[in-house]
Amino acid sequence: MNKFSLEGKVALVTGASYGIGFAIASAFAAAGAKIAFNDRTQEAVDRGLASYKEAGIEAHGYVADVTDEDAVAQLVKDIERDLGTIDILVNNAGIIKRIPMLEMSAKDFRQVIDVDLNGPFIVSKAVLPGMIKKGHGKIINICSMMSELGRETVSAYAAAKGGLKMLTRNICSEYGEANIQCNAIGPGYIATPQTAPLRERQPDGSRHPFDAFIVAKTPAARWGTPEDLQGPAVFLASDASDFVNGLVLYVDGGILAYIGKQPQ
Ligand code: NAP
Ligand code: GCO
Ligand code: CA
């Protein structure tokens, strides 16, 4: 029996119209899962549905903001009606605001915490009862290098992703006995729309300094791609990880292990 199969499982990946969520949902589909995803607007959902269709994947898209408890309750109800109880949840939806702390308003700070930390709490809380009733469940939170490291201008994001690491461990602690496995993936620097500002060419055509910096900090000497996350995500969503719980699996090309290349 293939322990990595997701055959017959129902997976919800939040914020998965594109980017990392889309790549993870696509890998789950290839492993046999039925795919549900949400986004904040019908326009984003429709764009996502078109992308899944183009990839030959039958996905079910729903409009729901992960910070809105009523919308999330309705999302879970609609998925259970259309596909059945959710077996796998990936809390992927997230935002970042890159603002020096002294210039960041409390409103901006709260908005990042709301999406990146309160959102995973709200969606996990809505999905857990069905998983517990069914006798099994997999929750995968998308953490970050910023679950371990800080850097200038990302105070809210680092606080949220550090909190998400501990929420992961707490869900593991509280519901492990119900055969729920709650783990996290901590991607390194991945080439998606979220990091596009860190990679764009300078006016003189040279590389963005941050681009060169990250490549020097990564033993793999490259940015990650959303596809680099697919294998780890299928592992944590499958029976192959039934005794893995509370883990943050860093998929970073070795960044956290490396002091960084000496400047030439
Ligand atoms: P992205 O390209 O910005 O995509 C984020 C997705 O989340 C979009 O589909 C976005 O929809 C959706 N979203 C945002 N706020 C939402 C809300 N309130 N409710 C529902 N959906 C919402 O980001 P990404 O690079 O794919 O990253 C995905 C996750 O990985 C995030 O949690 C991010 O923090 C994390 N991560 C990214 C990297 C990286 O290097 N890229 C590394 C580590 C961790 P809209 O289009 O409507 O905004
Ligand atoms: C940044 C980047 C990072 C990545 C990711 C790294 O501004 O430093 O956006 O935060 O998104 O979280 O793991
Ligand atoms: Ca199992």
Side-chain angles (χ1 to χ4, degrees):
M1 192 251 302
N2 177 2
K3 276 191 170 286
F4 291 87
S5 168
L6 303 182
E7 207 58 52
K9 302 284 188 189
V10 175
L12 166 60
V13 185
T14 64
S17 295
Y18 55 87
I20 285 172
F22 180 84
I24 289 176
S26 303
F28 285 2
K34 289 182 270 185
I35 302 303
F37 74 99
N38 69 298
D39 233 309
R40 285 177 306 172
T41 63
Q42 190 60 54
E43 190 268 334
V45 169
D46 291 345
R47 261 188 296 123
L49 285 170
S51 302
Y52 285 108
K53 190 159 187 268
E54 201 179 318
I57 295 168
E58 187 207 335
H60 296 253
Y62 304 85
V63 178
D65 185 319
V66 294
T67 64
D68 178 339
E69 288 183 88
D70 295 339
V72 168
Q74 190 58 52
L75 167 69
V76 172
K77 256 198 213 100
D78 292 348
I79 294 170
E80 288 179 347
R81 175 200 62 210
D82 298 342
L83 298 171
T85 303
I86 295 165
D87 300 292
I88 302 159
L89 166 64
V90 180
N91 284 307
N92 166 78
I95 61 171
I96 191 167
K97 289 180 186 287
R98 299 183 183 95
I99 306 167
M101 186 171 152
L102 294 183
E103 295 160 36
M104 180 180 260
S105 67
K107 181 170 175 286
D108 275 336
F109 189 93
R110 284 196 189 96
Q111 192 191 355
V112 174
I113 298 289
D114 205 16
V115 179
D116 295 6
L117 182 55
N118 296 346
F121 166 78
I122 289 167
V123 183
S124 299
K125 191 176 160 212
V127 169
L128 272 164
M131 291 179 167
I132 292 166
K133 196 157 161 242
K134 206 169 175 183
H136 65 249
K138 298 280 186 180
I139 297 177
I140 302 168
N141 294 320
I142 305 298
C143 283
S144 160
M145 292 289 94
M146 274 64 223
S147 297
E148 300 295 337
L149 304 169
R151 87 172 181 86
E152 300 79 3
T153 77
V154 294
S155 59
Y157 184 85
K161 293 298 187 179
L164 187 56
K165 173 173 71 174
M166 287 315 301
L167 178 62
T168 301
R169 291 179 179 160
N170 219 76
I171 294 172
C172 149
S173 307
E174 215 163 337
Y175 299 104
E177 205 170 346
N179 193 28
I180 307 295
Q181 289 86 48
C182 181
N183 295 288
I185 286 175
Y189 278 83
I190 312 294
T192 71
Q194 191 247 50
T195 53
L198 305 174
R199 286 176 283 108
E200 63 200 6
R201 285 275 166 191
Q202 303 299 283
D204 65 2
S206 63
R207 282 171 71 183
H208 192 297
F210 197 88
D211 177 4
F213 167 67
I214 283 304
V215 171
K217 281 286 286 178
T218 309
R222 68 173 174 86
W223 282 74
T225 65
E227 290 68 29
D228 286 321
L229 303 170
Q230 291 182 317
V234 169
F235 165 63
L236 289 177
S238 73
D239 290 348
S241 60
D242 277 358
F243 202 55
V244 177
N245 218 345
L247 172 75
V248 181
L249 176 53
Y250 287 102
V251 186
D252 65 355
I255 292 177
L256 290 180
Y258 185 38
I259 195 168
K261 192 175 288 306
Q262 181 180 340
Q264 301 305 325

